[in-house]
């Protein structure tokens, strides 16, 4: 049975779902997206993702095709129609279809697409038991990484560079400091302190990041929001990443240098547990 996807007001089998070749998402990467995880059939941090979507749209002078309540209904309907237990919901809004022109077209209806990806046992990933190995690469992306646009070619290239070296992911470095992972926020832990880059235009304001930092503070863990270099990271006791699809995932190696004893650290493991437990409690 094929997936049911949502396209501009309709729920359709994936083979029937179509978007125009003139869509600006296709021609200009003129679109934004969100990825929300689903655990036990419930949405993790829907409110956070909806809020960030509204911000991304606002920054690009794009209108939202639906209200937040309607968006929640669409997410829930997709979960239901696809019997989704554990997995992801991908959402994309583009400026819409218009004859090719660099200037934004006027009076065009935005395109809204959502689809599910089933990932049974998403929260029990065996990868969390061994941790990720990352390489560092220069961050050559554009300067508004706080807007969650669909311009993901460089992050894809970064993943391929990591894969070519037999590693899992890449951390991007700009002006001597780590910005973030290809599709996640980056953290190190030193002497019990959790260190992650402060917010700005240089990184995506992760929804998982916000929740994890809140839970860490509530658990009396010390958090420092500041830049750190790749050298500081290699000398850290442990490291981890966060994202809607990976939750909290330990990092055990950076540029061939093992961190600590080369196994997932205790702070990362504890944060993963707290994050999963607390966010399931308030899932919609
Ligand atoms: N990526 N930084 C970047 C560059 C990202 O692409 C992502 C998310 C994050 C983490 O944000 P959040 O916690 O809100 O998921 C940070 C998603 C999961 C993706 O592209 O699949």
């Amino acid at each position: 049975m094929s997936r049911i996807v949502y396209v501009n007001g309709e729920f359709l089998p994936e083979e029937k779902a179509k978007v125009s070749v003139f869509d600006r998402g296709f021609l200009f990467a003129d679109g934004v997206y969100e990825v929300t995880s689903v655990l036990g059939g419930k949405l993790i941090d829907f409110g956070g993702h909806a809020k960030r979507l509204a911000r991304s749209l606002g920054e690009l002078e794009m209108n939202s095709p639906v209200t937040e309540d309607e968006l929640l209904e669409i997410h829930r309907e997709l979960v239901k129609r696809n019997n989704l237990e554990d997995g992801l919901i991908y959402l994309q809004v583009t400026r819409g279809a218009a004859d090719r022109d660099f200037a934004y077209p006027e009076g065009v209806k935005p395109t809204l697409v959502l689809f599910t990806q089933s990932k049974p046992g998403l929260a029990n990933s065996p990868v969390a038991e061994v941790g990720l190995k990352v390489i560092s690469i220069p961050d050559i992306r554009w300067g508004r990484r706080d807007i969650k646009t669909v311009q993901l070619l460089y992050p894809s290239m970064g993943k391929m560079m990591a894969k070519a070296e037999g590693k899992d992911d890449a951390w991007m470095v700009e002006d001597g400091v780590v910005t973030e992972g290809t599709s996640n926020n980056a953290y190190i832990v030193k002497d019990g302190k959790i260190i992650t880059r402060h917010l700005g235009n240089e990184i995506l304001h992760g929804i998982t990041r916000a929740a994890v930092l809140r839970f860490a503070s509530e658990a009396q863990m010390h958090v420092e929001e500041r830049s750190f270099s790749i050298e500081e990271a290699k000398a850290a006791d442990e490291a981890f990443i966060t994202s809607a699809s990976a939750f909290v995932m330990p990092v055990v190696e950076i540029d061939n240098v093992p961190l600590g004893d080369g196994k997932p650290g205790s702070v990362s493991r504890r944060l993963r547990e707290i994050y999963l437990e607390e966010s399931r409690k308030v899932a919609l």
Side-chain angles (χ1 to χ4, degrees):
M1 214 177 79
S2 84
R3 262 182 298 198
I4 299 295
V5 310
Y6 174 95
V7 186
N8 295 327
E10 289 186 288
F11 290 92
L12 300 167
E14 60 182 75
E15 318 75 54
K16 298 247 163 72
K18 300 275 189 310
V19 173
S20 166
V21 293
F22 296 106
D23 195 278
R24 289 181 58 95
F26 180 56
L27 298 178
F28 292 97
D30 187 358
V32 299
Y33 77 107
E34 284 296 330
V35 175
T36 304
S37 59
V38 174
L39 292 178
K42 290 194 166 166
L43 304 162
I44 301 297
D45 218 335
F46 172 79
H49 289 284
K51 207 164 145 220
R52 184 173 62 193
L53 174 67
R55 181 178 179 277
S56 293
L57 291 170
E59 292 297 305
L60 296 175
E61 298 166 45
M62 247 188 248
N63 294 319
S64 179
V66 287
T67 65
E68 185 174 327
D69 286 347
E70 289 167 336
L71 206 54
L72 177 57
E73 265 326 293
I74 297 168
H75 277 73
R76 284 187 162 151
E77 190 63 26
L78 271 184
V79 168
K80 204 161 99 190
R81 291 194 188 218
N82 291 287
N83 292 316
L84 187 65
E85 191 57 21
D86 292 340
L88 304 171
I89 298 192
Y90 176 87
L91 167 160
Q92 180 168 331
V93 184
T94 75
R95 201 178 301 276
D99 197 17
R100 187 174 182 275
D101 185 358
F102 281 78
Y104 298 167
E106 276 176 33
V108 166
K109 250 186 70 198
T111 301
L112 176 62
V113 169
L114 286 92
F115 59 80
T116 54
Q117 288 184 295
S118 176
K119 311 243 176 214
L122 181 64
N124 305 315
S125 166
V127 183
E129 299 304 316
V130 287
L132 304 173
K133 294 177 177 173
V134 304
I135 59 166
S136 62
I137 59 171
D139 195 340
I140 58 166
R141 297 173 301 163
W142 78 324
R144 289 302 307 276
R145 303 157 194 158
D146 55 311
I147 309 174
K148 198 165 172 57
T149 74
V150 295
Q151 306 175 67
L152 297 176
L153 190 52
Y154 188 64
S156 287
M157 290 168 73
K159 279 264 200 254
M160 294 312 291
M161 291 181 231
K163 251 181 124 166
E165 293 187 32
K167 310 299 180 190
D168 304 297
D169 202 2
W171 278 14
M172 295 180 277
V173 177
E174 181 177 57
D175 299 330
V177 291
V178 174
T179 50
E180 57 189 334
T182 56
S183 59
N184 45 66
N185 290 117
Y187 306 71
I188 56 171
V189 181
K190 185 72 179 176
D191 300 326
K193 236 184 285 169
I194 299 161
I195 303 159
T196 193
R197 196 193 191 290
H198 52 281
L199 297 178
N201 293 339
E202 301 82 2
I203 63 167
L204 184 73
H205 301 186
I207 301 307
T208 320
R209 176 188 184 280
V212 163
L213 294 189
R214 197 173 64 242
F215 296 143
S217 298
E218 284 167 11
Q220 317 296 332
M221 294 161 124
H222 192 97
V223 176
E224 247 178 57
E225 291 181 69
R226 62 159 174 88
S227 302
F228 58 87
S229 67
I230 207 77
E231 288 69 35
E232 186 178 1
K234 283 188 217 165
D237 301 325
E238 53 180 288
F240 62 93
I241 55 144
T242 64
S243 77
S245 49
F247 311 118
V248 176
M249 190 59 76
V251 167
V252 295
E253 185 194 288
I254 302 173
D255 286 339
N256 291 311
V257 176
L259 304 180
D261 60 4
K263 297 201 179 91
S266 58
V267 173
S268 319
R269 297 170 77 108
R270 182 150 170 244
L271 275 176
R272 181 177 172 88
E273 266 171 41
I274 298 176
Y275 175 79
L276 285 169
E277 194 184 319
E278 295 301 318
S279 24
R280 274 181 201 270
K281 278 190 204 159
V282 290
L284 287 175

